[in-house]
Amino acid sequence: MVEVADYGWTAGHTLGPGAVSILLVALFPVRRATARTPLMALRIPRSRGVAGGYHLAFAVGTGLIVAAFAVAFTVVRRPVRKSPAVPRNATPHARAELS
């Protein structure tokens, strides 16, 4: 995926690992269902309470990640105040401390 800019989205460098990952994700439930000793019984996620907890945890985690990105992009995109006391070649951290 790092080389998408060089090869493009339709190149084998991009589609190959993507297809392998989709295949592995699709085969995981089959392997879990046929395992002699699965890591977790398949009946546990079918419980309404457990499924609701999983969905709530997923929603909270997703919200926290989105909030972290929103805060990071807001801080990064904020223009730095220009001050005559700040030299032009000062680093952004030095500008923030001096202003």
Side-chain angles (χ1 to χ4, degrees), residues 92-99:
H93 298 293
R95 288 183 185 144
E97 291 173 3
L98 292 174
S99 56

Side-chain angles (χ1 to χ4, degrees), residues 8-71:
W9 285 102
T10 58
H13 285 83
T14 307
L15 294 178
V20 169
S21 64
I22 290 171
L23 178 69
L24 290 174
V25 168
L27 290 177
F28 179 73
V30 174
R31 170 69 179 121
R32 195 175 81 170
T34 58
R36 190 176 333 159
T37 56
L39 296 174
M40 180 175 66
L42 292 176
R43 62 180 163 72
I44 292 176
R46 291 183 188 151
S47 165
R48 288 184 71 178
V50 174
Y54 285 160
H55 286 97
L56 180 65
F58 179 78
V60 169
T62 302
L64 289 172
I65 290 172
V66 168
F69 274 103
V71 168

